[in-house]
Amino acid sequence: MCGRFTAISQEELEDVVRSVEEAIAASAAADATAAVGATMADGAAGLSPTASAPGPLVTPGSTAPVLVHAGPWHQEKGTCCGSGCGKCPWTRNPLAVKSMELTWGFEVDWQKQPVFNTRIEHAGDLGSMWAESLGHRHCVVPVHRFFEPHQNEVVVSPRTGKTTKRQYAFGPAEGSPLPWLLLAGVFSNDRFSVVTTEPNAVMRPIHDRMPLVLEPHEVATWLSPDYAQLADRSRTQLHAAPEHPDVPSFQQLTLF
């Protein structure tokens, strides 16, 4: 699952949109592999992971910027007919990405808290609450890092003095040219959910689920009908570290 993340700033959002649009364009090019490599290098120009300040902490029920495929979004909203007439920017530039502020979590009538994660393995099943969104409304959630609690490692909270599971922060792998991560998501109306999948080698010791983290060149696939091929994140590189490394930890004891 994914329960917290730090959002990017509005200033950085322009860099994210530019990088994603270039990657989408590259994936449509004849020589996609070579183009994507060049695009990622170009998209990283002027960006430094160490110079990027953490954004606001986002929790379920609060808002965050997300990216959607502009053309289909405007067609669904009735602001673009999709006829190819060339009268609107979405038809002239079908690779455009639209940024918008959405609330994290789908409201449901069977619990007070919103449902904020979507398991990709069963989201498309008949009768699933996610089926419609997974079929037609994909989005991308840019974040600086996301947080997960360790399955066994516990600490004494410096704020409450109570024992709690240690939180780990996950961000771009060391050496990454980009200072942010792109999480796959789905949306409906003014709400979004983060899509999760099976954990990879980095995540598995800490948590039994992980967000579906996308590379820029995979965004086009996530926004297409071929998204299911992205469920395997075994090769995704991440950097993991305790949220508060100065707080000593100890292993949770168990009788079983």
Side-chain angles (χ1 to χ4, degrees), residues 14 19 40 47 66 84 86 89 118 129 142 148 150 155 160 167 177 216 223 229 237 250 253 255:
E14 294 182 7
S19 178
M40 290 185 68
L47 299 178
V66 305
T118 303
M129 64 175 286
E148 300 288 5
H150 197 285
V155 298
T160 66
Q167 295 286 322
L223 298 176
Q229 64 183 278
Q237 299 297 310
F250 55 92
L253 300 178
L255 297 177

Side-chain angles (χ1 to χ4, degrees), residues 120-121 146 181-184 194-204 209-222 226-238:
I120 193 171
E121 296 90 343
F146 63 89
L181 299 173
L182 301 174
L183 308 186
V194 174
V195 174
T196 67
T197 188
E198 290 292 323
N200 61 16
V202 177
M203 288 292 305
R204 192 170 296 111
R209 299 291 294 176
M210 69 176 288
L212 202 163
V213 181
L214 300 167
E215 296 293 338
H217 67 271
E218 294 177 319
V219 169
T221 303
W222 176 246
D226 300 323
Y227 64 86
Q229 64 183 278
L230 299 175
D232 182 0
R233 297 290 87 187
S234 58
R235 296 186 179 182
T236 298
Q237 299 297 310
L238 296 169

Side-chain angles (χ1 to χ4, degrees), residues 132-154:
E132 180 68 17
S133 293
L134 189 65
H136 305 286
R137 291 183 288 272
H138 289 194
C139 64
V140 177
V141 187
V143 307
H144 276 298
R145 57 185 62 88
F146 63 89
F147 302 88
E148 300 288 5
H150 197 285
Q151 299 178 91
N152 300 309
E153 192 174 345
V154 296

Side-chain angles (χ1 to χ4, degrees), residues 29-128:
D31 189 358
T33 303
V36 164
T39 298
M40 290 185 68
D42 292 342
L47 299 178
S48 170
T50 58
S52 180
L57 185 65
V58 179
T59 57
S62 53
T63 61
V66 305
L67 308 180
V68 301
H69 203 309
W73 188 88
H74 279 276
Q75 290 173 31
E76 183 174 314
K77 297 298 180 181
T79 54
C80 174
C81 63
S83 65
C85 61
K87 293 182 178 180
C88 69
W90 318 117
T91 298
R92 292 197 301 270
N93 183 11
L95 303 178
V97 173
K98 177 182 177 63
S99 64
M100 53 200 306
E101 288 275 334
L102 298 182
T103 301
W104 188 12
F106 281 39
E107 292 184 310
V108 293
D109 56 10
W110 38 269
Q111 69 176 35
K112 294 182 179 180
Q113 299 298 320
V115 181
F116 51 91
N117 286 160
T118 303
R119 288 178 172 249
I120 193 171
E121 296 90 343
H122 304 294
D125 292 353
L126 184 65
S128 167

Side-chain angles (χ1 to χ4, degrees), residues 148-195:
E148 300 288 5
H150 197 285
Q151 299 178 91
N152 300 309
E153 192 174 345
V154 296
V155 298
V156 175
S157 170
R159 184 174 64 87
T160 66
K162 297 181 179 180
T163 301
T164 183
K165 290 185 176 181
R166 180 189 279 284
Q167 295 286 322
Y168 272 73
F170 296 85
E174 294 183 8
S176 172
L178 301 176
W180 26 258
L181 299 173
L182 301 174
L183 308 186
V186 294
F187 73 99
S188 179
N189 297 319
D190 61 346
R191 293 182 171 269
F192 75 93
S193 174
V194 174
V195 174

